[in-house]
Amino acid sequence: GETVQILEKFEVFPASYIHLKKAIVTNRGPHETVVPLEDPIVTEVTLTLQEWALLWKQLYVKHKVDLFYKVRHVMMELIDLRRQLLSGHLTQDQSRDVKRHITVRLDWGNEHLGLDLVPRKEFEMVDEDQISVSDLYKMHLSSRHSVQQSTTQVIRQRHGEPCRVPVPHHLLVNLKSFTYNSIGEDTDIFFSLYDLREGKTISEKFMVRLNKNGGPKNPEKVDRLCALFTFSKTLHDLILFTGRMLLNDSKKGPPHVQYRRPYGCAVLAMSDVLQIISELKEEKDFVLKVYTCNNENEWYQIHENIIRKSSTKYTAPSTNYGLIISLQLLRGDMEQVRRENPLIFSRGVAITRKLGFPDVIMPGDVRNDLYLTLERGDFERGGKSVQKNIEVTMYVIYADGEVLKDCISLGSGEPNIPEYRSFVLYHNNSPRWSEVIKLPIPIDRFRGSHLRFEFRHCSTKDKGEKKLYGFAFTPLMREDGTTLSDESHELYVYKCDENTTFSNHALYLGLPCCKDDFNSCPNIPSSLIFQRSTKETFWIATQLSSTKLTQNVDLLALLKWKAHPDRVMDILGRLRHVSGEEIVKFLQDILDTLFSILDDNTDKYGPLVFQSLVFIINLLRDSKYYHFRPVMDTYIQKHFAGALAYKELIRCLKWYMDRSAEVVRQDHIQEAMRALEYLFKFIIQSRILYSRATCGMEEEQFRISIQELFQSIRFVLSLDSRNSETLIFTQAALLNSFPAIFDELLQMFTVQEVAEFVRGTLGSMPSTVHIGQSMDVVKLQSIARTVDSRLFSFPESRRILLPVVLHHIHLHLRQQKELLICSGILSSIFSIIKSSSLDTSVQEEVEMMVESLLDVLLQTLLSIMSKSQSQEAVRGQRCPQCTAEITGEYVSCLLSLLRQMTDIHFQHLMENFQSKDELKEFLLKILCVFRNLMKLSIFPRDWNIMRLLTSNIILTTAQQLAPALHKNFAETDFDFKVWNSYFSLAVLYINQPSLQLENLSPAKRKKILDKYGDMRVMMTYELFNMWQNLGENKIHFIPGMIGPFLGVTLVPQVEVRNIMIPIFHDMMDWEQRKNGSFKQVEAELIDKLDSLVSEGKGDENYRELFGLLLLEKIEQETWRETGISFVTSVTRLMEDCMKGDETENKKIGCTVNLLNFYKSEINKEEMYIRYIHKLCDMHLQAENYTEAAFTLLLYWELLHWDERPVKEFLHYPAQTEWHRKEGLCRKVIHYFNKGKCWEYGIPLCRELAFQYESLYDYQSLSWIRKMEAAYYDNIMEQQRLEPEFFRVGFYGRKFPFFLRNKEFVCRGHDYERLEAFQQRMLGEFPQAIAMQHPNQPDEAILQCDAQYLQIYAVAPVPESVTVLQMDRVPDRIKSFYRVNNVRRFRYDRPFHKGPKDRDNEFKSLWIERTTLILTHPLPGISRWFEVDKRELVEVSPLENAVSVVENKNQELRTLISQYQHKQLHGNINLLSMTLNGVIDAAVNGGIARYQEAFFDKEYITSHPEDTEKITQLKDLMQEQVHILGVGLAVHEKLVHPEMRPLHKKLIDQFQMMRSSLCHVSAQEDPSSSSLSSTHSAPSQMINSTPSTMRVGSPSLPDKYRHNREMLMLLPPHRERPSSAMYSNITENGQPPNFQRALFHQVIGPCKPCSDPNLSVAEKGQHLSMHFDAFHHQVSDLPPALPARSLRKSPLHPIPASPTSPQSVLDGSNSTLSGSASSGVSSLSESNFGGATSSSDPPASRTDTLESVPSSQAWTTDQEDLDSPYQPVRYSMSEPDVLEGVKSPPCRSNSAPGGVNPAQVGYQIQPQAAGLGCTGAPQPDGLQQQQHQFYHHHFHPHYIPHNPPLYHLHEPPPALPPKPYLREGCIPEEDPLMAQSGPPRPAVPRPMPRKISQPIIAATKDEQAKVAWEHGISEE
């Protein structure tokens, strides 16, 4: 369907392949539009499919798959239908049908795809310019396939459209097969419809003849056994479909003799079936079971027995087979059915009619059918011992004795037959047949014909002969000319012998045939041949359906009135009692008769003939006979000859009307009124005939009589009918039929004359006030029909009639009555005016309408709109549907009127106002209505055509009203209300959704711009002009209009912005002039801009344009300084507000910026406080409770502890400042509590306590003090995670202003590792690219048009070092200060200075340490703050070594002291592991590397300045040996018997270590102590993040810094090649042996850990990590899994096997588990915890650090600062508990919960994916044992989230809980979980990643053992 413009021709492509379409080209040139000359529907389909195609693909993208496939299906159908239309091979009906299908599909698709509704007429799109708005509205309504369609039909009916005829229904029946082949006889099957309610058959029969095999007897009928039954829908609940079967039985007698015998019957209830078939379009099959009769006497009522389910009287079939028929329901009259289903009729369908006349009798429907029912007979035995087998034969015999052929029909579907034979009932003298036969006897043969019934006995013995023994007969017409009446007739039976031939029928015709006959001729000679058998009788019933014969005596008498002229009065009187069917059959004859009687004696018969005529006319109003009206019309036009009748008719009519005032019973007057239309037709036609005959004589008298008649009509209508109900009915009848007479009058009178008659009549009705409600409706309906009549279409009659019509409508609208009908009348008027709008007369009419209606229309609309709004709240009596419809109707009327108005009309309108007040009132009304049109959605969203047209009309009207506003209400007469109304309309108008062309598809936008232009721009010009016209009065709209005007400038249309933005300069200027400053404008502008831009309006261009245009204007002003600073701060505000997509972080970032903006740039406290709360809400939503608390604290700081009252604000009530501050304080404390930052809450608690104390409010004081105490408890007891910190750089111009080219440090979420954080950031900035290196970006990246993210982890450098250096402060407390209130962060990068030593790289390995200083400390009001400045230092290799060894010593010291002080009870695995790690590394060359590097003479001589540090290193190494000695002593006392071999190995290795160290010191310097440190050099090199980075422990060497960030910069592990494993090493060109050394030194011979979630690189990092790094990873949870190899081996649960009874300590085994990761990468971090166990409830905590003997308190300052190796302990009081517990290997990323500690003997925290690994470095000898050891006693299981349980003798916790949960940590619950009861395992003490829990005694035995071991502390 694309249009291609051919500019010139080349022979490149075969021309035969190109089809040139004919088209109309308008506006030739580059912008021409081409409309193809094809069916507009084809064009529409083409365009629509093109539009759908784009949207359709979007459905798939948006996962709306269901709709996607539906739309595809519809599109395919449309393409197919379009092809059919284009083919041009369709008939008119077919193409109509195709178009109907197309429009239904187009509308469906448009609706589902959210496109506009297309208004149509006759399936084609309408041009809205060609029709009135009202019509357009109606088309929209009807195009909308919804409830609204039904309501519009209702309205039309009220206008008095003639009532509709019920739609006939047809049932197509097709006999598919009959499966009773077992019968083996020819079969007749009869189908008919049976009415259960009336208990009778209601249709003719459809007959099917089948042969012995069950196939059709007539071979031509194969597949054609179908019939069409016609019936009325109303009966369908009770109709049953019955099928009876008779056999042509030849078995009993000779083969040539056949009897018909009853066989069976089947019934189908239509009520069950109709629902199914009425929904289907095709045939549906049904199976009918055939039941057989038990007793033949009951055969006549077998169907009733089946229906009643009298199962004793029939037998069900043995199988389910039977008749298979298909049914299909067809609707419409026969012609329509034939048209729509030609195939059915080509198959030779048998039309099966209703029995009798149909509901609607069509004229020209000639029938003459006599339905005869053979009811029953009573016969004598005739001396036989058994009863007879009786068969009845019937003939139709004409007067001359000839048997009429083909006058008997057994059923449709088979040809007529000459004789009828009944079926035979076996041995039955009183047979009941109840069989209906149709006798279609030609009319000319009817008179004189009679029926003869012959009775035979069928013998089974006498050669099968049938013996005649009697007969009966009946004539078809009586003597008086009437036919046989519709009833049962008892016929006399005459005997005869079996050889009688009836050759002379006259012999019996003289006999009486029945009782009536006998009575009428009593003296019959008895000596005739045939003797009546008195005891035998025979019953038949007849029913005549004839359009030519009547059974009615009165009717015959009327038609033959001349025979009895004396009885005419009586005959006319009895006409009323003749049935309607009879009258319509003889309509023409009756009318002729009546008028001939009238001519005979006018005076005598006039009134009676008039009455009869009225009766007949009204009969034709009945829906049953409605179709006979054309017969009447034809009669009047062609056959009516009563040239004088008019005089009498007028006289009678006038006489009736004149009597209506006094008569009480007015039925006959009402009848006459109803017949008015046809009476007038007779009058006019009669006058025309008379006029022709006499050449126009008596013209004047005729005119006078008509005028007098109209005076009578006026008289009737002017009567006050309020007290007389009958009079109301008379008037109503008159009004209803009045509009129908106009056309008749126009034949005799001019248009003006008729219009005058009508005007007088309509004018004579009393005004609304004086007539009742019901009359109101009738009157308006009459007016409506007047307006719809042909008369009204003449301009000359409109000029006369319009005023009176408008007068009535005006009255109704004034009183808000019958609005729906009034709107209908108005829309008809507008329709007419629009269609004839070229005539000059229309201008006058519009003028009239404007004068009469405009004001009242506005009033009506305002009241309807206000009602509809209130109804939405109240849901009043009227349905919202009606209200919406009425509103729509009136809006369309108003718009139609405004659209018709020209400049002159507007000018007159304005001139016609008497005073300014009137004008003001009018303007306010019309502007208010327009505003409501913009606000309320009067038209649905998809009525775009209607909405655009409305906008266009409003725009032109506003342009017309503007001058009046300016002229009358400017300067001195300024009226704020009118101007304000105008401005708000303009603002609403410009912001209308339907005018925002940017959101539309290009094609649609072009279409709108071509038709209407950009209406927003036009309205903006109007708005600007009006603003300029205000002059001095502008000040009234400052600052009120700033918000609305800002809204307009935010419309994304450059021209609108260019026009509107300078207005703000104007406003500033005016306020500056008036007040000397523009504070108001400033405040309002900022306020409104803030809220508008925050809603996502505005864009970068707007910000630039806003600044540019205003600065340009301000440049010339005297107040330019203030102006410019204001504009710049506003653009700053927009920078802050304008955020792209709404992600949580961006919102929070913007809000923080705005907060600062309002605080610093513009001192607007209210906005500042609003934003504080907005930010707080955002934090709460994101569950950033600590940040929420800090944010609210900003408001708290603004308040004072005063009693000053403060007003209501936001959600705060009016209260004193003290109360508000107190409430805030409580809320802040609550949030700090939820964020687990109790240290921040405690000072606030104290502040509140001080206030309460000073007020002596002891109750509150007690409460707050308890809370403070609870917070101290929480610090000591609850688990807190230390958060990760990440540095994020946002580089590139694509980032929002507040991020662009800045770097931030972000506080990570709980458990959030670097990789997760990176994914989150990339999720928020999907366009961003992650940079893969930590170096500062260059200028090219900063200025490029993209987004780059640079992310790596950083370590906090705590501010409050004092608390961290205090010895006795538990680690729990210190941990908080390590990661909170931190402003400085650092990260390290290792590099080589000078030549690299191949054998020992530590000689040249330096660390580059970067420190970032933030603008605000974290945590604060945001999770991230900008980096303020950076500092860079370099750390030498020796300094690095010193700090590493120092850290390790501190860690060992802490751990050993905890075991000495019995803080860690029982499980000594952690101690074993730590000692093993340090000693093993020292023995296997870890420390040796340091010795080689720094103790060698060459180094000492070349670095004299390092002497002091070298000495320090030696001292530290010696100190380490001492510490290890103490540790081994403690280990010896605590070690489990089974672990002795491990201990022994440790002792041996320790000796080696000492000796090597002694050797070194002997060699070099006897004073130097042995070097012993677990920190092997290589790991430091690679992994140089200091411990503070992770855990906040300042004792870790600074070189552990860089790797974390390096890792982060690598792609996620899926993409990383293994060659990246040692990226930083290989970059530096280090040899592979270095890597081997690493493995060997760090981990010894054991395999490195494997974590399924780590990349190879990370695993490499792990291996290269120092064992020391373990203290980063170890958290408060037991290690999850045993050591694993580097292969990703599955994690098998290890079964527990209880050993010999031991103390709890012995029974509780643990893995030696730790992580070899340095913590550089948060991806490779691991959290382990030690599970503590206890069985006693917490009693009192007595054993604190104070009780530690002084010798045990290490002298170093860093004593308790960090204890890297904490006990990991699994306790079990009953080993068998383990048996049942199995746990799958855990790879989950979160800490699983759900296992109750009370149920499980011990718990371990599974290793979460991404946590470091459990592979602990172990010495060779240990490995074996350890594995055994696992297998015996270790069974991993989940740790539930539970609080720690403290026990007797337990010192205070070592660390405050972490502020931030990490993987595998346990959030707090109720610390009082285990208060009493049996021993139960304890939950691990919450710890930061380092573990430093006290050991908790589990049982008394254990406590005893601990006491025994206590002695070691003195060593």
Side-chain angles (χ1 to χ4, degrees), residues 1355 1386 1388 1409 1439-1448 1450-1451 1575 1580 1583-1601 1666-1673 1717-1720 1758 1761-1762 1764 1890:
R1386 68 181 193 209
D1388 293 352
R1409 176 163 298 161
E1439 284 168 345
N1440 198 10
V1442 169
S1443 84
V1444 168
V1445 180
E1446 195 173 2
N1447 280 354
K1448 179 49 69 186
Q1450 176 60 38
E1451 190 183 322
H1575 274 277
Q1580 297 154 12
N1583 192 355
S1584 42
T1585 308
S1587 59
T1588 46
M1589 168 180 279
R1590 239 345 167 297
V1591 210
S1593 148
S1595 58
L1596 199 72
D1598 292 350
K1599 26 179 151 145
Y1600 275 65
R1601 180 71 103 151
H1666 223 294
F1667 197 60
D1668 164 48
F1670 174 64
H1671 90 279
H1672 291 303
Q1673 267 64 34
S1717 144
S1718 78
V1720 165
Q1758 298 254 325
L1761 194 52
D1762 43 318
K1890 347 185 351 176

Side-chain angles (χ1 to χ4, degrees), residues 149 188 199 360 374 495 542 641 938 973 1463 1488 1622 1673 1678 1827 1883 1914:
Q149 266 181 321
D188 292 352
V360 175
L374 210 62
K495 289 178 181 170
T542 56
I938 304 293
D973 301 318
Q1463 288 175 340
Y1622 300 112
Q1673 267 64 34
H1827 276 298
V1883 182
E1914 297 307 317

Side-chain angles (χ1 to χ4, degrees), residues 1175-1354:
L1175 180 58
C1176 177
D1177 290 344
M1178 285 180 187
H1179 281 314
L1180 291 177
Q1181 214 173 343
E1183 296 184 358
N1184 302 335
Y1185 295 112
T1186 308
E1187 284 75 13
F1190 276 117
T1191 308
L1192 269 190
L1193 214 46
L1194 295 175
Y1195 184 31
W1196 181 83
E1197 285 163 359
L1198 294 177
L1199 299 169
H1200 303 286
W1201 295 108
D1202 288 344
E1203 288 298 320
R1204 190 169 64 86
V1206 283
K1207 63 179 193 299
E1208 193 177 332
F1209 179 56
L1210 298 172
H1211 53 272
Y1212 299 104
Q1215 59 194 141
T1216 65
E1217 196 172 346
W1218 191 94
H1219 277 105
R1220 186 167 293 175
K1221 184 155 178 150
E1222 180 217 18
L1224 265 177
C1225 198
R1226 289 184 170 207
K1227 198 178 267 187
V1228 172
I1229 291 171
H1230 169 66
Y1231 291 149
F1232 275 133
N1233 177 35
K1234 287 188 89 167
K1236 295 192 179 180
C1237 281
W1238 299 292
E1239 285 82 349
Y1240 289 126
I1242 287 167
L1244 290 170
C1245 291
R1246 290 185 189 148
E1247 170 105 12
L1248 265 185
F1250 173 74
Q1251 292 298 327
Y1252 291 146
E1253 199 169 350
S1254 57
L1255 292 172
Y1256 297 95
D1257 181 354
Y1258 287 164
Q1259 195 174 356
S1260 301
L1261 181 63
S1262 155
W1263 171 79
I1264 198 72
R1265 287 287 191 216
K1266 283 176 188 163
M1267 183 178 280
E1268 192 181 337
Y1271 285 0
Y1272 287 122
D1273 287 346
N1274 289 346
I1275 291 169
M1276 299 304 290
E1277 294 164 10
Q1278 287 207 27
Q1279 166 77 14
R1280 286 196 285 191
L1281 280 156
E1282 292 186 3
E1284 294 284 347
F1285 294 93
F1286 307 105
R1287 175 260 184 211
V1288 190
F1290 297 95
Y1291 302 116
R1293 292 170 54 80
K1294 274 276 181 74
F1295 279 112
F1297 311 105
F1298 63 95
L1299 298 177
R1300 187 178 299 164
N1301 296 337
K1302 295 180 182 174
E1303 50 180 344
F1304 295 84
V1305 172
C1306 178
R1307 191 164 174 257
H1309 286 308
D1310 292 2
Y1311 298 112
E1312 190 168 39
R1313 309 311 261 260
L1314 186 54
E1315 190 168 57
F1317 178 77
Q1318 187 175 9
Q1319 288 307 321
R1320 176 155 68 93
M1321 294 311 297
L1322 289 170
E1324 285 187 23
F1325 298 97
Q1327 312 299 319
I1329 303 155
M1331 291 169 68
Q1332 302 296 340
H1333 62 82
N1335 309 332
Q1336 284 295 92
D1338 55 14
E1339 196 59 28
I1341 284 185
L1342 298 181
Q1343 296 308 320
C1344 73
D1345 221 13
Q1347 291 184 342
Y1348 285 97
L1349 278 176
Q1350 190 184 48
I1351 303 174
Y1352 43 77
V1354 289

